[in-house]
Amino acid sequence: MHAPSTPTRILHLDDSLRDATLVADLLDDNGVCCEISHVMSRRPFEQALAQRGHDLILCDFNLPDFDGLTALILARASCPDVPVIIVSGAIEAEEAVKCLKAGATDYLLKQRMERLPSAVQRALEEYHALKQRKQATEHIRRQARLIDQATDAIFVCDKSMTLSFWNPSATKLYGYTQAEICGDSVLRVIFREPEERIGAIFQEVLRVGQWHGETRQKNKEGRALVVFCQLTLLTDAQGIPDGILAVNHDLTEAKALEQQLLRSQRQEALGALAGGIAHDLNNALAPIMMGVDLLKAKYPGAPGIVDLFDSSVRRAAAMIRQLLTFAKGSEGERSPIQVNYLLQEMGAIVECTFPKNITITVEREKNLPPVLADATQLHQVLLNLCVNARDAMPSGGRLTLATRKVEISSVHPGMPPNAKVGLFVAIQVNDTGTGISAEIRDRIFDPFFSTKTPDKGTGLGLSTVMGIIKGHDGFLEVSSAPGQGTTFTAFLPTDASAAEPELAPQKKMPFYGQGEIILFVDDETTVREIAREVLQRMNFQVVLARDGLEALVWLTEHPSVHAVITDLHMPNQDGLSFVGMLRKILPEIPIIVSSGRLEDDIQSQFRALGVTCFLDKPCDEHQLAEVLSRIFAQHPTKFAQVFRTHPNNGLSESSASLMPLTA
């Protein structure tokens, strides 16, 4: 007889100590390794049942205080799976049947106790088999629950690729229920790859037992999915392949985020590149922009070509600022803007620069309310839309720029979530060109998407337009059809706080100094030279320095300076370091920082050093005069108060003796 590795724990209920000893000896003699707990009445029997630590219960049928059937019922209630053998000196057949129906495993007569060891052994074997079946069943149920609760899509197909199992997550991912999918071909239902490739993948599974990798799939609605697929070969008991298990993890959102990250990284790289290029371009444009003002002053009767130079250089400077805005995602300074003036300026620009076979029409509604906007960014919106319109009319056509007031009383589908209804200014750019097909209309605002050849378009124009308009709490509409032209309409909310009649911009009076000494620091020779000419024409004395170190050396010997204008990006010592050291030498000196790309954190550091005036680079003479007027109003010099018109329009005699540091 097989002896278990650990003793069998038996609870024996019998009111006879002699019978209990007989049972123990009989089991021991027959090799049943056991530990017997003997109880003689109901109360200790119930206490022993409560401990739930027994593998078998032997129960006498005839007891003084209660019968064996009651004891059996108590045992079944407390330990429903533990086998119970009824032992009795005399038991009627009817009572024996009742015991078996109540859950007794077996019953024995005390006259035939030789059957006890085999009855115990059989009961224990059945008990252990039952425990194993329950454990296996629970294991299967637990696995089934795990499969049902798994976030990955799990399915099983046979060697012919016919589906036979489909978990709830597969239904969630693909949209099909198990009833819909079972019996269908997995090749047809979910894969977007060519059948040859998928067939080759499944053949690889049959050959080596597994495969994993990314696949292109689809759901019930046809939406494209990117799925990481793990395939495992299933075999029967003889090791013969009979199916394939697939565990699929949806990568669609992760891939979309990855693409966004890559675009963001490309944009960051573009921003870094644009920053360096912008610095060089701004230095190249600075002398041109200030030089145009000198030409106008020196040759007041010069032809309109000088105005065209002026317009072009300003447009180039604005484009550089907009490139930085797009690449860095920064916002420009906003103020109440009369859109009609921007439209008029853009109309003049395109009239001069677009091919003559394109007719330009500007339609401006009168008395438009102002919008709160960055003029440079709106200029970029108009420029991008006009350039797109020009490219859509290679054989010529009509370009119409128009404005109008629009009252929007309900939420528009194209509005951003935070937009409010009310009065809007609509800016419309219409062309009679080739139009846009419905297939690509939803993609035209995607970054880097372009229907133009690489040498004619970057795919950033319309995405920039969309970003600027949304950034101004507006929205954009496009109406187009192939061969029927295109109309872009930008809606911008009006600025209620600045609502006022539309007035022509006031021309500012010229501004001149009274011979104040200005230290101008810049590493570009051409910028220094043109700045000297402009500042001297404004009646200032000028000292030039190539960088902060040279300026500091000069200032230690000549502290009588009334203002400093410094570039930000310079070799040897940049503007921020220079200003920090300058404050230790001349803590009250007025400082103007000039830069084409001044980040918010750098500007905050300058403000902490007491710098309140900043100058965009490149700038014209009027912008330079305005910031100088403001800074001298804040910091009166030892000279008489700065006045706006200077009759001599030139340097005072004392300036002739002041020599520049750098040629």
Side-chain angles (χ1 to χ4, degrees), residues 46 58 63 79 93 98 116 134 245 310 344 439 444 494 519 556 569 612 655 662:
E46 290 177 338
L58 294 176
L63 298 165
C79 312
K98 286 183 179 179
L116 178 62
K134 285 195 170 186
L245 169 70
D310 188 22
Q344 182 181 9
E439 290 76 15
I444 59 176
T494 59
L519 174 60
T556 56
H569 301 284
T612 59
S655 66
T662 305

Side-chain angles (χ1 to χ4, degrees), residues 23 37 41 53 106 176 179 249 275 282 306 311 349 428 439 482 507 528 535-536 557 568 593 660:
V23 166
S37 299
S41 60
D106 203 347
Y176 298 97
H249 183 70
N282 284 332
V306 177
S311 175
I349 290 173
Q428 194 172 78
E439 290 76 15
K507 187 175 181 180
R528 293 195 303 271
L535 288 169
Q536 285 180 348
E557 299 178 0
L568 172 59
V593 175

Side-chain angles (χ1 to χ4, degrees), residues 287-317:
I288 301 174
M289 185 173 284
M290 287 191 287
V292 167
D293 290 324
L294 288 176
L295 286 175
K296 288 181 179 179
K298 192 169 184 178
Y299 305 103
I305 191 68
V306 177
D307 292 329
L308 182 58
F309 291 162
D310 188 22
S311 175
S312 295
V313 73
R314 291 177 188 277
R315 184 157 51 97

Side-chain angles (χ1 to χ4, degrees), residues 167-284:
N167 80 332
S169 289
T171 297
K172 183 178 179 181
L173 177 60
Y174 298 108
Y176 298 97
T177 64
Q178 178 159 341
E180 290 176 309
I181 204 71
C182 285
D184 213 334
S185 170
V186 69
L187 297 178
R188 185 190 66 81
V189 175
I190 66 171
F191 284 101
R192 293 175 58 238
E193 306 274 7
E195 283 196 15
E196 294 78 10
R197 179 174 185 263
I198 301 303
I201 289 174
F202 278 82
Q203 289 300 317
E204 179 78 3
V205 177
L206 294 173
R207 187 176 65 84
V208 301
Q210 61 181 358
W211 181 89
H212 64 269
E214 290 183 14
T215 58
R216 292 182 295 126
Q217 300 182 7
K218 61 183 178 181
N219 65 4
K220 187 176 182 179
E221 287 73 34
R223 184 172 71 90
L225 304 172
V226 180
V227 175
F228 184 80
C229 190
Q230 293 178 288
L231 302 176
T232 303
L233 184 65
L234 301 177
T235 58
D236 60 16
Q238 289 72 41
I240 300 174
D242 65 351
I244 294 174
L245 169 70
V247 180
N248 289 356
H249 183 70
D250 184 16
L251 297 178
T252 308
E253 288 190 13
K255 284 293 182 181
L257 291 174
E258 181 182 336
Q259 291 301 315
Q260 288 181 356
L261 177 61
L262 290 174
R263 285 195 294 269
S264 176
Q265 289 173 341
R266 287 198 298 268
Q267 192 162 314
E268 288 179 6
L270 174 63
L273 177 63
I277 294 174
H279 178 260
D280 293 336
L281 289 177
N282 284 332
N283 283 333

Side-chain angles (χ1 to χ4, degrees), residues 369-492:
V371 298
L372 188 64
D374 176 4
T376 299
Q377 291 188 346
L378 290 192
H379 189 283
Q380 187 69 24
V381 166
L382 286 170
L383 181 63
N384 286 358
L385 293 178
C386 286
V387 168
N388 275 5
R390 178 202 65 190
D391 294 342
M393 298 184 289
S395 301
R398 178 179 294 277
L399 172 62
T400 303
L401 309 178
T403 58
R404 69 178 191 277
K405 294 190 295 289
V406 179
E407 182 72 36
I408 297 179
S409 57
S410 60
V411 176
H412 191 280
M415 285 182 169
N418 59 337
K420 299 179 180 179
V421 298
L423 187 62
F424 284 73
V425 170
I427 307 172
Q428 194 172 78
V429 178
N430 169 265
D431 67 67
T432 58
T434 55
I436 304 170
S437 65
E439 290 76 15
I440 67 170
R441 195 174 303 157
D442 292 337
R443 301 180 59 198
I444 59 176
F445 297 106
D446 292 346
F448 306 107
F449 174 79
S450 178
T451 58
K452 303 175 186 178
T453 57
D455 60 324
K456 293 185 178 179
T458 63
L460 294 175
L462 288 178
S463 61
T464 299
V465 169
M466 177 64 80
I468 292 173
I469 297 301
K470 283 188 174 181
H472 284 76
D473 296 328
F475 61 97
L476 198 65
E477 284 185 347
V478 56
S479 173
S480 184
Q484 299 181 22
T486 301
T487 300
F488 285 94
T489 307
F491 295 87
L492 296 172

